[in-house]
């Protein structure tokens, strides 16, 4: 397809401010295609890198230890991420996560979760972040996610929350409380079942929606994502890819693309969320093609427009 035909999928950037919180971490990953030592990871890292392709007004609140290399922070800054809200704790260690993927790459086992600095994280919102219009509560302690909602004086136009089974296991009550304060929840299919106690996904979605979020996104890995609210439903497929090396961060990259697109268009209607989950899925498709954050570092708007056009061709009939 010629570039000119993809042009309609280029983003019109109107620079609404976006605040992301979540982990900034070290990850050690093992997939059937290889193994990494400690590399940069964390939910907020993937969210910020992904969203950086949509908005230039991007702020981060997170915590790392003294062991976190300055060059990684510089890398986020180079991508336009404001790290004024990134706390660096002297004498402490960064959050560390290690995971191993199954042969089919759909499932994974968490081998290690070391909370370290995250255990006592007190999220401080710099004054310059106070007027954020879009808030992405990336995966981390639900209590910290809630504290952030309380510490932002004016309610943002849209609050999106991502979480995972780990927090459903260890902090379910806190999670249920924060769910009442958000607009959009993103979880995967297994997490939707765990949270609702329902096996059928539609029943699970109805029950999760009754817990607070107005809109739910159920991520189904390589099989795409379902967007659902009380009256509407939309399904975005996963793009079949020849090279899938490492799914780590795909969910966060999806979330960063989703909220980044909404912030760049400043439209939170269901119709626009349909487009946003296609942009989120396009970003996630880049993420899984290489290890860690590698593929998210050198994209450009033409490459993203081209991916989105591939999605459009995949479902057009
Ligand atoms: P995803 O593959 O989208 O679930 O995200 C993987 C990223 O989430 C990795 O970079 C990890 O550092 C981070 N992560 C793993 N476990 C947790 C957790 N319990 N809380 C917050 N972030 C986590």
């Amino acid at each position: 397809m010629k570039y000119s035909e993809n042009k309609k999928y280029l983003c019109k950037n109107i620079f609404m401010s976006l605040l992301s919180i979540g982990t900034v971490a070290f990850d050690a990953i093992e997939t059937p295609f290889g193994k990494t030592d400690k590399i940069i990871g964390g939910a907020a890292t993937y969210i910020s890198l992904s969203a950086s392709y949509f908005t230039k007004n991007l702020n981060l609140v997170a915590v790392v230890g003294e062991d976190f290399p300055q060059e990684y922070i510089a890398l986020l800054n180079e991508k336009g991420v404001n790290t004024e809200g990134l706390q660096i704790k002297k004498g402490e260690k960064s959050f560390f996560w290690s995971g191993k993927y199954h042969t089919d790459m759909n499932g994974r086992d968490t081998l290690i979760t070391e909370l370290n600095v995250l255990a006592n994280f007190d999220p401080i919102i710099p004054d310059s972040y106070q007027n954020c219009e879009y808030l992405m509560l990336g995966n981390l302690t639900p209590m910290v996610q809630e504290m952030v909602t309380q510490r932002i004086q004016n309610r943002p136009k849209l609050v999106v929350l991502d979480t995972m089974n780990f927090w459903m296991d260890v902090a379910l009550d806190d999670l249920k409380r924060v769910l009442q304060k958000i607009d959009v929840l993103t979880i995967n299919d297994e997490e939707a079942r765990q949270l609702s106690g329902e096996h059928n996904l539609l029943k699970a979605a109805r029950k999760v929606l009754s817990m607070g979020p107005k809109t739910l996104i159920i991520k189904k890995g390589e099989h795409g994502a379902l967007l659902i609210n009380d009256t509407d439903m939309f399904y975005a497929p996963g793009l079949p890819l020849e090279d899938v090396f490492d799914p780590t961060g795909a969910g966060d990259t999806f979330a960063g693309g989703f909220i980044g697109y909404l912030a760049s268009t400043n439209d939170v209607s269901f119709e626009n969320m349909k487009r946003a989950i296609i942009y989120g899925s396009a970003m996630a498709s880049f993420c899984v093609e290489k290890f860690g954050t590698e593929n998210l570092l050198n994209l450009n708007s033409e490459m993203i427009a081209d991916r989105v056009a591939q999605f459009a061709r995949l479902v057009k009939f």
Side-chain angles (χ1 to χ4, degrees), residues 65-67 89-93:
E66 206 176 9
D67 54 354
K89 292 283 175 199
K90 283 224 162 60
E92 291 189 48
K93 284 166 75 179

Side-chain angles (χ1 to χ4, degrees), residues 23 25 27 41-42 46 95 97 108 139 164 166-167 247-252:
T23 43
D27 288 347
Y46 285 98
F95 177 82
W97 175 80
R108 75 177 175 205
N139 189 14
M164 72 187 293
F166 181 83
W167 301 114
T248 308
D252 307 311

Side-chain angles (χ1 to χ4, degrees), residues 1-264:
M1 182 182 269
K2 278 200 229 96
Y3 167 62
S4 57
E5 291 166 41
N6 295 348
K7 235 177 160 177
K8 64 178 172 184
Y9 298 115
L10 287 170
C11 269
K12 290 177 195 61
N13 210 322
I14 45 179
F15 301 143
M16 303 311 284
S17 76
L18 168 57
L19 168 57
S20 300
I21 68 153
T23 43
V24 172
F26 287 124
D27 288 347
I29 306 158
E30 191 175 337
T31 83
F33 300 100
K35 208 174 160 176
T36 67
D37 285 329
K38 284 187 173 181
I39 56 172
I40 184 172
T45 307
Y46 285 98
I47 290 167
S48 302
L49 290 175
S50 179
S52 72
Y53 291 95
F54 299 92
T55 176
K56 299 281 167 272
N57 196 344
L58 185 52
N59 301 312
L60 173 70
V61 165
V63 64
V64 290
E66 206 176 9
D67 54 354
F68 202 75
Q70 188 59 44
E71 74 220 49
Y72 285 166
I73 299 173
L75 202 131
L76 290 170
N77 296 147
E78 272 165 39
K79 285 282 164 202
V81 183
N82 179 356
T83 52
E84 191 189 338
L86 177 66
Q87 299 174 34
I88 303 171
K89 292 283 175 199
K90 283 224 162 60
E92 291 189 48
K93 284 166 75 179
S94 303
F95 177 82
F96 173 59
W97 175 80
S98 168
K100 182 175 176 178
Y101 287 85
H102 305 161
T103 329
D104 67 359
M105 302 275 260
N106 280 328
R108 75 177 175 205
D109 297 319
T110 289
L111 305 177
I112 303 170
T113 301
E114 284 177 11
L115 294 180
N116 298 327
V117 278
L118 206 62
N120 299 307
F121 180 32
D122 182 19
I124 295 164
I125 317 291
D127 287 346
S128 61
Y129 292 9
Q130 276 297 343
N131 290 324
C132 78
E133 284 122 326
Y134 288 78
L135 175 60
M136 180 69 226
L137 299 170
N139 189 14
L140 92 182
T141 332
M143 210 164 70
V144 172
Q145 293 176 316
E146 188 184 20
M147 278 156 84
V148 171
T149 64
Q150 289 161 346
R151 290 179 182 184
I152 290 179
Q153 280 139 26
N154 302 317
R155 198 204 189 267
K157 182 167 178 173
L158 189 82
V159 182
V160 180
L161 183 140
D162 183 52
T163 188
M164 72 187 293
N165 52 356
F166 181 83
W167 301 114
M168 293 173 193
D169 293 338
V170 305
L172 185 60
D173 289 342
D174 293 341
L175 178 61
K176 284 188 172 165
R177 238 184 9 259
V178 70
L179 287 184
Q180 292 169 21
K181 301 186 173 161
I182 62 159
D183 300 303
V184 182
L185 172 67
T186 71
I187 43 179
N188 70 29
D189 40 2
E190 281 317 306
E191 290 156 354
R193 291 188 171 106
Q194 179 171 348
L195 186 59
S196 63
E198 293 282 353
H199 183 78
N200 176 282
L201 264 195
L202 207 51
K203 285 185 182 152
R206 297 271 168 250
K207 212 154 169 187
V208 173
L209 285 170
S210 75
M211 294 176 179
K214 296 173 202 71
T215 306
L216 173 66
I217 296 174
I218 299 181
K219 299 170 284 182
K220 292 156 71 72
E222 65 175 327
H223 303 298
L226 192 66
L227 172 73
I228 182 161
N229 69 12
D230 278 342
T231 50
D232 286 306
M233 196 161 28
F234 176 70
Y235 174 69
L239 191 67
L241 296 168
E242 292 206 11
D243 296 316
V244 178
F245 280 104
D246 173 19
T248 308
D252 307 311
T253 304
F254 169 89
F258 173 78
I259 197 165
Y261 180 80
L262 293 177
S264 75

